[in-house]
Amino acid sequence: MRTFGVEEELLIVDPVTGEPLAMADALLARNEEPSRDPALETGLSHELKLEQIETQTRPCHSYAELLHQIRRGRAMANEAARKQGASVAAIATSPMASTSHTTPDPRYAEMLERFGLTAHEQLTCGFHVHTSVESPEEGVVVLDHMRDKLAVLTAISANSPFWRGLPTGFDSYRTQAWNRWPTSGPSAVFGSLTAYRRIVRRLLETGVLLDEGMIYFDARISRNHPTVEVRVADVCLRAEDAALIAVLVRALVETASLEMLDGVEPSTVPTALLRMASWQASNSGLRGDLLDFGDFRPQPAADVVWALVDYLSPVLDDQGELDLVKAGVSDILERGNGAHEQREAASRFASRQRGGGGQPGRPPSREALAAVVGHAAKVTMRGASADAHKDPAPMLTRVRRP
């Protein structure tokens, strides 16, 4: 069975006001000191903004193992934050209006100079899934075969309905903010590793990008490890949802490889339609219609999600994960994604403040948004043991550089 691992970007927040805090340096200060016991190192790292911190899991073999690693990373990050009077929250954009601060680093400074407001405003938290492949050649086959299904994962994971103090009307506004980068979004069918590398080389030759690290395709070949990296998901509010999405990604990779062996050609659906599917998933999440990945016409979101499960069911069944996925998908469809949960938290706060009376159409108050962040911080830590960093299992390892 293929190994898989994930990277989670978490927001560092004030536990009272809900405001993002530029404290990544303080949380990571212990990394500058040699550890007497490698098993106790944090496995945490910087990201573009000082208001966020990233965790990485080691390669895992099962949902249970990966879920443990995700919770362990969250516990480690939260303990580091707690020591500084802060918390972490698995939300993909900050509900609170605030000014973000870029991590001091020559590359990030150059990004600010080159990309202006896009880089200045880019306080977003994503969820990246790495799945092992036998070779870069197989990796390109996987990219070509999975490209038309990835928008469904955006809808399931959507967890960013607020942006800079305002409701956005989107379930995943992170997707909208992220897609301002020049290489972000879906890619065309590559056809071969040679073609993939040629496209990457030509993109770099334009001079628009700083380096290959800025190849921000929805899915790409990892630069440093033998994996395919899927990058379309918001960081998930609930750890179990994150692990479920990773299982779906691994099944997509395995299904693509099997289709290659069976001589099945990848869909040649135009990239423009994939952008429509991504936009629709970002906008409505699981609330309305998604574009079906078969004919790219609107269908009820639940039907499209179940169609993805059906498509992956032979591999999921073979790997003993079908029942687990069905239960997890049923749960998400019943309670809603993270965006729904954030809106519900804001609505509950408003209802309590108004004595049960509602004022439809009014944006959430700052206090309501602070309540959203507080709720998210609590949900982020569900199942994450306070002493998870003492687990003697292999430490978290970085799977890509910043």
Side-chain angles (χ1 to χ4, degrees):
M1 188 179 292
R2 296 176 189 270
T3 57
F4 59 162
V6 306
E7 300 159 335
E8 284 199 306
E9 296 163 354
L10 305 174
L11 200 64
I12 305 168
V13 298
D14 186 303
V16 177
T17 68
E19 295 177 349
L21 298 175
M23 297 184 67
D25 280 346
L27 270 60
L28 294 166
R30 62 179 291 183
N31 277 0
E32 299 173 1
E33 302 176 2
S35 173
R36 287 172 289 183
D37 183 355
L40 297 182
E41 292 197 16
T42 63
L44 308 175
S45 62
H46 283 98
E47 258 298 336
L48 176 62
K49 298 294 182 175
L50 286 171
E51 288 81 4
Q52 59 188 160
I53 192 166
E54 184 182 89
T55 73
Q56 310 93 29
T57 73
R58 60 179 171 82
C60 298
H61 292 85
S62 69
Y63 168 90
E65 183 185 7
L66 183 62
L67 177 59
H68 170 71
Q69 284 278 304
I70 291 170
R71 287 174 170 167
R72 180 171 180 256
R74 291 182 176 201
M76 293 158 67
N78 196 61
E79 181 171 349
R82 184 180 56 79
K83 290 178 180 178
Q84 304 295 329
S87 301
V88 296
I91 43 181
T93 56
S94 171
M96 312 298 295
S98 66
T99 301
S100 63
H101 302 79
T102 302
T103 299
D105 178 273
R107 180 172 180 266
Y108 292 154
E110 192 174 355
M111 288 174 70
L112 285 176
E113 176 69 21
R114 179 74 178 88
F115 297 99
L117 193 63
T118 293
H120 278 281
E121 290 189 346
Q122 195 59 235
L123 180 57
T124 62
C125 295
F127 177 70
H128 304 159
V129 182
H130 287 256
T131 306
S132 63
V133 288
E134 292 296 322
S135 65
E137 289 81 4
E138 183 189 39
V140 173
V141 169
V142 167
L143 298 183
D144 288 351
H145 279 259
M146 67 163 49
R147 60 192 282 272
D148 54 333
K149 294 49 170 220
L150 296 180
V152 185
L153 303 179
T154 300
I156 296 171
S157 68
N159 185 31
S160 46
F162 302 109
W163 174 259
R164 301 172 69 86
L166 294 172
T168 65
F170 287 81
D171 269 26
S172 174
Y173 194 73
R174 179 203 65 86
T175 299
Q176 301 299 312
W178 182 256
N179 281 347
R180 291 186 290 181
W181 294 107
T183 60
S184 61
S187 52
V189 172
F190 297 107
S192 69
L193 179 61
T194 298
Y196 178 88
R197 288 178 171 163
R198 181 171 59 249
I199 289 171
V200 170
R201 184 178 67 254
R202 290 298 305 276
L203 289 171
L204 294 174
E205 289 172 351
T206 66
V208 173
L209 311 180
L210 302 188
D211 51 42
E212 191 174 341
M214 293 195 69
I215 300 296
Y216 292 149
F217 300 153
D218 282 351
R220 66 184 184 183
I221 305 298
S222 173
R223 291 175 294 154
N224 301 321
H225 294 269
T227 65
V228 163
E229 180 187 7
V230 173
R231 306 166 51 82
V232 296
D234 283 5
V235 68
C236 295
L237 192 57
R238 297 169 180 263
E240 57 269 28
D241 292 353
L244 176 70
I245 286 171
V247 167
L248 291 172
V249 170
R250 179 169 65 174
L252 277 168
V253 172
E254 180 65 16
T255 299
S257 181
L258 292 174
E259 287 181 344
M260 173 191 69
L261 295 175
D262 290 340
V264 177
E265 294 294 324
S267 170
T268 57
V269 58
T271 305
L273 279 178
L274 298 186
R275 290 188 177 278
M276 293 298 100
S278 174
W279 190 94
Q280 180 67 11
S282 168
N283 179 246
S284 64
L286 301 174
R287 292 178 294 164
D289 288 343
L290 295 175
L291 300 190
D292 183 86
F293 55 84
D295 59 13
F296 284 81
R297 299 182 187 278
Q299 296 292 338
D303 292 352
V304 178
V305 173
W306 282 120
L308 179 65
V309 175
D310 289 344
Y311 168 73
L312 299 174
S313 60
V315 163
L316 291 170
D317 190 38
D318 184 60
Q319 296 182 165
E321 296 172 327
L322 183 56
D323 290 343
L324 178 154
V325 166
K326 286 183 175 179
V329 166
S330 294
D331 188 36
I332 293 173
L333 290 174
E334 181 177 351
R335 60 174 157 79
N337 55 22
H340 175 80
E341 194 160 349
Q342 286 194 49
R343 292 191 185 100
E344 286 291 298
S347 179
R348 286 195 301 271
F349 179 87
S351 181
R352 289 195 300 269
Q353 293 298 104
R354 298 164 185 158
Q359 299 183 36
R362 287 193 59 181
S365 67
R366 189 171 182 84
E367 293 76 16
L369 294 176
V372 170
V373 177
H375 172 77
K378 291 179 182 177
V379 176
T380 297
M381 294 307 297
R382 284 181 184 168
S385 170
D387 64 349
H389 70 290
K390 299 176 183 177
D391 190 322
M395 60 176 283
L396 303 181
T397 55
R398 186 157 187 80
V399 293
R400 67 174 176 87
R401 68 175 178 82

